[in-house]
Amino acid sequence: MTSDHSNGDGSNGNGGNGNGNGRRSLPQAGADPVAGVPAIEGFPASEKVYVEHGGLRVPVRRIHLSGGEPPLDVYDTAGPAGVDPHVGLPKLRKPWIDARAAAEPGGNRSQMHYARRGIITEEMRFVAIRENVSPELVRDELARGRAILPANVNHPESEPMIIGSRFLVKINANIGNSAVTSTIGEEVDKLRWAVKWGADTVMDLSTGKNIHDTREWILRNAPVPIGTVPIYQCLEKVGGDPDKLDIDVFLETLIEQAEQGVDYFTIHAGVRLAYIPLTAARRTGIVSRGGSIMAKWCLAHHKENFLYTEFERICEVMKKYDVAFSLGDGLRPGSIADANDRAQLAELETLGELTDLAWKHDVQTMIEGPGHVPMHKIKENVDLQMKLCKEAPFYTLGPLVTDIAPGYDHITSAIGAAMIGWFGTAMLCYVTPKEHLGLPDRDDVKAGVIAYKIAAHAADLAKGHPGAQERDDALSKARFEFRWQDQFHLSLDPDTAKDFHDQTLPAPAAKGAHFCSMCGPKFCSMRITEEVRQLAAAGGAADPAAASAPPEVAAGLAAKAAEFRDGGGRIYAGGDDH
């Protein structure tokens, strides 16, 4: 294992001379679009190191601890450090992609296609190391369609990751401009910010100006897979009129985005003409942008959705570039009143049908899900998706479990996300505090990512994923031993943890104190517990750890009782009981 410190050029050692073809010139008209984009600082007491195995170098973040404790390595999504956004990231996967293309020119280039032929690619070995599982498990899950490894051959900068129910629960962060606000620089900043805090994939949902150029800047600086909703750009191409959409415009846009390197497409092929009337009695109708666009097209022409009728033509594009389907839930419920209704489930049945068609072409596929679902209906969603879509990975927005908390929907949805992840959902699409209210800024992105990292990790613990509890155990031990700095460094957000502690105990000496401001020095349960152990050990226990046995605990408590009586029996030391 090596440290990132030896790679001062930003290279991670896998892609030759960084970008492979030397420095690139990203699209730039007029002023520098990323001028003023702030550098992303690393985490305190951490360094990026690489696990080296079989010629691969897989990044992890190593957290250094005090008190003689060994360092802890954690999954890292941030990508290579110190890279100029004008240049873009190193082309990690370029040698692997080129070697496969030379051996088999043309044809199907999907990871599913290789897996079904028994081939373990470098990408599969890479994610096996990241996930602490065998390469054979990765290959087998891809082959049966229960996992996807989104890795467009034109996005060689991405560090391979996997989405599936037998792997770590992943999270997605949405970014993108709108017709009202945001710039290329702001979106690149949001990307880098999101992956620092742990976003496993990022979707560019831009609907404003410069969609193509915004996407190019994002892709060249993205160490994680990038997803899009192509129908948004299609709508821009036809002047914003859904009636003018057709399969030719759609396929042209797919190829344009696939050539850039987009790793997965949300495609609303399940919004069928016959299902649209089922939404009429809903509390909130059709809330998906893509779903509403396709519903309007179907009604304007009174024809079946061309994304459904021409689905196999779409598959031909997908397998050429290894772009994964994210089959969109265009009829998802937008309120808990509409959860699990006939419109939602009818579309889900069609997504199962389309999954079979995609798999016929060896195209990787995941299924998008709701939305707004009360807690008691969440498991039913997962069970139905697993049955109808043959265990293809489930990718859900939340779900939000209540509709009463605008401004706090990162919390209402993280509750549902933890549950649905536990039940088998493979990836969770984050919700920010701005959900339903406005376009998220970088603070909202961080809040959404942290909320969803908590939800995903809670699901990993419940599922018993290998090694999931190591970080919890390390932090709990640091907490019990009053190693405050280690507590901060092991947390998902060290800066906020430290800031909260400093608000009441800012002095450097407080970082060694055996209490916090909540209980104070006299009523810290952990300090008292340690005293009990010490007293029990002094009273005859050979090992302080044996104080957990009832007789030793009783002895320690009896000693504390005597101390209390000898001190005058006052509840509050140093004062009276009033």
Side-chain angles (χ1 to χ4, degrees):
M1 188 175 291
T2 58
S3 167
D4 194 40
H5 296 163
S6 62
N7 296 322
D9 61 353
S11 166
N12 57 16
N14 288 293
N17 61 345
N19 282 308
N21 330 343
R23 298 176 67 85
R24 77 171 72 245
S25 177
L26 283 162
Q28 184 172 326
D32 182 352
V34 295
V37 171
I40 302 296
E41 296 183 2
F43 289 90
S46 294
E47 63 174 332
K48 186 186 293 291
V49 299
Y50 290 89
V51 178
E52 299 188 15
H53 187 272
L56 300 179
R57 304 179 71 234
V58 179
V60 296
R61 178 162 68 89
R62 174 163 292 173
I63 305 172
H64 294 281
L65 305 175
S66 63
E69 294 293 320
L72 182 72
D73 292 342
V74 297
Y75 196 107
D76 180 64
T77 59
V83 175
D84 180 356
H86 299 87
V87 177
L89 298 178
K91 288 187 173 183
L92 160 65
R93 297 172 44 240
K94 187 176 187 300
W96 313 339
I97 295 166
D98 289 350
R100 290 195 295 265
E104 298 182 57
N108 194 323
R109 305 178 76 180
S110 81
Q111 294 289 320
M112 182 183 221
H113 184 64
Y114 294 121
R116 285 183 163 181
R117 293 161 60 200
I119 297 170
I120 296 176
T121 64
E122 289 86 354
E123 287 88 345
M124 296 177 204
R125 292 197 293 118
F126 193 101
V127 300
I129 296 168
R130 284 188 118 172
E131 298 277 341
N132 194 28
V133 298
S134 72
E136 290 75 19
L137 174 65
V138 173
R139 178 198 60 201
D140 293 349
E141 291 295 291
L142 291 171
R144 65 167 294 177
R146 197 158 60 183
I148 68 168
L149 199 166
N152 186 326
V153 296
N154 290 324
H155 186 196
E157 298 92 343
S158 68
E159 296 173 342
M161 53 82 71
I162 196 164
I163 302 167
S165 59
R166 297 191 68 181
F167 305 99
L168 291 166
V169 177
K170 304 304 189 298
I171 71 164
N172 170 73
N174 291 335
I175 62 172
N177 67 21
S178 74
V180 177
T181 185
S182 196
T183 64
I184 288 174
E186 287 174 288
E187 297 312 312
V188 170
D189 180 48
K190 287 182 197 174
L191 163 73
R192 286 150 53 107
W193 191 237
V195 298
K196 170 188 173 172
W197 294 109
D200 296 288
T201 77
V202 169
M203 290 199 75
D204 172 18
L205 304 184
S206 292
T207 57
K209 297 178 180 179
N210 302 315
I211 290 178
H212 181 97
D213 288 353
T214 298
R215 186 169 55 244
E216 183 70 17
W217 279 89
I218 288 171
L219 279 160
R220 303 288 72 83
N221 285 283
V224 300
I226 298 296
T228 65
V229 185
I231 201 72
Y232 296 168
Q233 188 176 11
C234 293
L235 194 63
E236 181 195 45
K237 290 180 176 182
V238 297
D241 184 356
D243 297 359
K244 296 179 180 178
L245 292 167
D246 59 35
I247 189 61
D248 293 327
V249 171
F250 192 79
L251 290 174
E252 170 195 286
T253 304
L254 288 191
I255 293 169
E256 173 189 340
Q257 296 194 10
E259 286 283 349
Q260 284 185 287
V262 175
D263 299 287
Y264 63 94
F265 291 146
T266 291
I267 296 180
H268 298 92
V271 180
R272 300 190 60 183
L273 177 63
Y275 302 158
I276 298 169
L278 300 177
T279 68
R282 279 181 159 184
R283 182 69 54 88
T284 47
I286 299 175
V287 298
S288 160
R289 279 184 293 189
S292 64
I293 290 167
M294 295 316 303
K296 188 173 188 302
W297 185 91
C298 289
L299 293 176
H301 296 273
H302 207 74
K303 289 182 178 179
E304 186 60 273
N305 182 347
F306 62 80
L307 301 177
Y308 175 80
T309 59
E310 303 289 346
F311 190 76
E312 291 200 76
R313 291 180 66 188
I314 296 171
C315 289
E316 293 295 334
V317 175
M318 306 293 272
K319 66 187 181 184
K320 178 180 177 181
Y321 297 94
D322 193 9
V323 181
F325 276 117
S326 184
L327 293 178
D329 54 341
L331 302 181
R332 68 175 178 268
S335 59
I336 62 171
D338 297 335
N340 297 21
D341 70 353
R342 182 56 194 149
Q344 175 193 341
L345 300 183
E347 181 185 33
L348 187 61
E349 291 169 4
T350 297
L351 299 187
E353 172 194 341
L354 295 174
T355 299
D356 283 333
L357 271 180
W359 286 351
K360 185 178 83 171
H361 292 267
D362 289 352
V363 176
Q364 302 189 86
T365 304
M366 62 181 170
I367 311 298
E368 295 188 10
H372 294 242
V373 182
M375 291 168 67
H376 61 289
K377 293 184 178 181
I378 289 177
K379 191 172 189 303
E380 179 187 2
N381 270 265
V382 179
D383 292 344
L384 284 170
Q385 189 272 342
M386 294 288 184
K387 176 182 177 182
L388 296 172
C389 301
K390 297 84 177 172
E391 299 185 281
F394 204 17
Y395 167 33
T396 63
L397 178 72
L400 287 73
V401 297
T402 178
D403 294 331
I404 65 169
Y408 297 89
D409 279 334
H410 59 310
I411 298 173
T412 65
S413 64
I415 295 168
M419 292 182 66
I420 209 165
W422 174 25
F423 296 144
T425 290
M427 187 160 75
L428 309 169
C429 184
Y430 87 167
V431 172
T432 76
K434 288 277 180 61
E435 185 75 8
H436 306 114
L437 303 173
L439 195 70
D441 60 20
R442 79 192 314 259
D443 291 338
D444 302 316
V445 168
K446 176 183 174 183
V449 170
I450 294 293
Y452 271 66
K453 290 299 288 185
I454 295 168
H457 183 68
D460 289 333
L461 291 170
K463 289 165 57 178
H465 189 86
Q469 194 172 320
E470 290 179 0
R471 190 170 183 174
D472 298 79
D473 291 344
L475 197 149
S476 297
K477 190 171 189 292
R479 178 176 290 149
F480 188 77
E481 295 174 356
F482 298 98
R483 289 183 280 114
W484 290 103
Q485 296 288 4
D486 287 351
Q487 287 186 63
F488 307 150
H489 299 156
L490 286 163
S491 68
L492 290 174
D493 182 0
D495 297 337
T496 298
K498 183 177 183 299
D499 288 347
F500 282 3
H501 183 270
D502 287 354
Q503 286 174 18
T504 51
L505 294 170
K511 302 303 181 289
H514 282 213
F515 62 89
C516 72
S517 61
M518 178 172 286
C519 297
K522 298 294 184 182
F523 287 90
C524 177
S525 60
M526 291 190 176
R527 182 185 63 79
I528 293 171
T529 299
E530 183 58 29
E531 290 177 0
V532 169
R533 288 183 175 181
Q534 292 171 0
L535 288 165
D543 180 357
S548 60
E552 287 77 11
V553 171
L557 292 172
K560 291 301 292 182
E563 179 184 331
F564 176 75
R565 291 192 298 272
D566 293 344
R570 292 191 302 272
I571 295 176
Y572 299 105
D576 58 27
D577 289 344
H578 299 293

